[in-house]
Amino acid sequence: MTKCGYVALVGRPNVGKSTLLNHMLGQKISITSRKPQTTRNNVLGIKTEGENQFLFVDTPGLHLNQKGAMNKYMNKAASTAIRDVDVVVMLVDRLVWTDEDEAVARRLEGLELPLIVAVNKCDQLDDKNVLLPHLQVLTERLSPNDIVPVSALRGMQLDRLESIIAKYLPESEHFYPEDQITDKSSRFLAAEIVREKITRQLGAELPYQMAVEIEQFEQDRGVLHIGALILVERDGQKRILIGDKGDRIKQIGQQARIDIEKLFDTKVMLKLWVKVKSGWSDDERALKSLGYDD
Ligand code: GDP
Ligand code: K
Ligand code: MG
């Protein structure tokens, strides 16, 4: 009998959810960075391994004390994700338990689902003696079905995590063909890669007031031509993004092109434009038209 089920990856911002998803899939479908709010949408990552099909739902972390339409959208996405899944994997850090972790834990209370706790970033554990007491505290607070130390970045113990998750997958036909890795469109993935490069390059504020819209996406004689529009809120942000003599936007474009070529296994021509449009990032209708509406 085959198994198939939805597995929510939850946890506070920056704990490593998207990194974990990418490593499990062996493909980069969910963008990552050191900044919170990198992941805005729920991203489905599909992994078929023999009899088992895992439908991982990567979620934006819950964002505490944050206002604005984008934050509302992200928190809603994170909350709905845990309603319709078969298993929850909560990621926590190897050392600390914060208010943000506590907020996630509260959301999980009363859910009658198997809960697996993955204690992440264990590649950065100088003193191994601190892990055991931490695991004990986590076990008491969360009463998980299983708990496992991992490193999403280095791929430590992810096989073990996967076989633990497999125990809780319901018996079912597979929902997707075995070679499919996501439900997101190629356009979405391309836009996200551009957004990742900008998020990684720029300071703390801009990433939240920036969106990427794909205007052109055409294969022509072996080359994928992509045109992407980058929306920002203010003139100053446009200037920062473009950089001195256009060198920053050029760098962003080069980095994004390399990743997009890898993902689609084709030569890519990428053109980027920056446009100022005030107010869109706190405007629910504008967000909807940019695809933040599921
Ligand atoms: P998310 O917000 O939970 O999706 O977190 P990301 O996947 O975007 O990761 C946030 C940051 O933590 C990135 O800079 C990652 O490279 C880093 N990171 C994720 N997993 C690990 C890990 O296992 N070890 C280390 N050292 N860093 C990690
Ligand atoms: K992040
Ligand atoms: Mg993420």
Side-chain angles (χ1 to χ4, degrees):
M1 185 62 190
T2 58
K3 288 174 147 194
C4 178
Y6 286 92
V7 182
L9 303 176
V10 304
R12 67 172 160 81
N14 276 347
V15 74
K17 300 174 293 297
S18 301
T19 305
L20 183 83
L21 177 71
N22 293 337
H23 212 115
M24 294 286 243
L25 297 180
Q27 289 259 31
K28 183 151 139 184
I29 65 157
S30 196
I31 65 171
T32 68
S33 89
R34 289 163 197 255
K35 306 201 173 78
Q37 307 203 358
T38 305
T39 308
R40 290 176 176 172
N41 313 73
N42 291 336
V43 175
L44 182 67
I46 306 160
K47 178 168 188 177
T48 310
E49 189 87 3
E51 299 280 276
N52 298 328
Q53 185 165 76
F54 303 85
L55 309 173
F56 293 108
V57 186
D58 185 17
T59 61
L62 281 179
H63 294 81
L64 293 179
N65 311 319
Q66 305 250 21
K67 296 191 186 81
M70 179 60 85
N71 281 306
K72 251 195 259 163
Y73 169 81
M74 291 192 299
N75 284 342
K76 193 172 145 217
S79 300
T80 40
I82 51 177
R83 278 212 307 261
D84 308 317
V85 296
D86 302 290
V87 185
V88 175
V89 175
M90 178 173 174
L91 274 79
V92 298
D93 186 84
R94 72 225 179 276
L95 295 174
V96 289
W97 176 263
T98 68
D99 289 349
E100 290 179 313
D101 294 301
E102 187 56 39
V104 176
R106 279 204 211 107
R107 289 285 168 110
L108 298 177
E109 273 164 15
L111 274 187
E112 289 180 20
L113 289 173
L115 173 66
I116 300 162
V117 172
V119 184
N120 193 30
K121 309 197 185 182
C122 283
D123 56 297
Q124 285 189 331
L125 206 58
D126 297 330
D127 179 4
K128 296 242 172 349
N129 295 324
V130 300
L131 188 59
L132 223 53
H134 189 46
L135 292 182
Q136 216 146 19
V137 169
L138 291 170
T139 303
E140 272 166 35
R141 173 64 187 87
L142 297 165
S143 316
N145 298 66
D146 273 290
I147 183 163
V148 54
V150 301
S151 166
L153 192 65
R154 307 269 170 242
M156 280 162 48
Q157 299 243 85
L158 296 189
D159 286 351
R160 182 153 161 239
L161 175 60
E162 189 178 300
S163 57
I164 291 170
I165 297 169
K167 290 196 291 188
Y168 301 103
L169 286 184
E171 291 191 348
S172 153
E173 296 293 303
H174 292 179
F175 296 169
Y176 292 90
E178 68 175 305
D179 56 354
Q180 188 168 344
I181 57 163
T182 183
D183 66 335
K184 295 289 181 201
S185 67
S186 302
R187 279 171 172 257
F188 174 86
L189 296 176
E192 286 287 277
I193 288 173
V194 173
R195 201 163 62 75
E196 176 184 83
K197 301 313 171 200
I198 300 169
T199 304
R200 285 185 180 187
Q201 279 231 1
L202 297 183
E205 183 203 358
L206 181 69
Y208 323 134
Q209 303 196 341
M210 174 265 300
V212 178
E213 204 171 8
I214 300 296
E215 307 239 289
Q216 184 200 13
F217 197 92
E218 288 162 355
Q219 192 87 34
D220 182 32
R221 280 164 286 180
V223 180
L224 180 58
H225 294 261
I226 301 175
L229 181 66
I230 302 164
L231 277 182
V232 293
E233 286 276 357
R234 293 195 298 275
D235 266 329
Q237 297 172 330
K238 179 173 174 175
R239 270 199 303 277
I240 292 170
L241 199 51
I242 289 174
D244 200 23
K245 299 196 189 81
D247 53 352
R248 185 170 273 133
I249 193 80
K250 204 179 203 173
Q251 237 180 46
I252 289 167
Q254 278 166 357
Q255 292 171 354
R257 178 180 52 77
I258 291 168
D259 275 18
I260 296 171
E261 288 186 336
K262 240 187 263 166
L263 184 65
F264 298 130
D265 199 18
T266 176
K267 200 170 155 37
V268 168
M269 280 278 293
L270 176 64
K271 284 199 199 110
L272 301 177
W273 292 272
V274 185
K275 189 172 142 188
V276 179
K277 189 175 159 191
S278 323
W280 66 268
S281 70
D282 197 23
D283 173 350
E284 272 172 50
R285 275 210 359 238
L287 287 179
K288 262 188 194 159
S289 78
L290 285 162
Y292 297 104
D293 67 344
D294 48 344

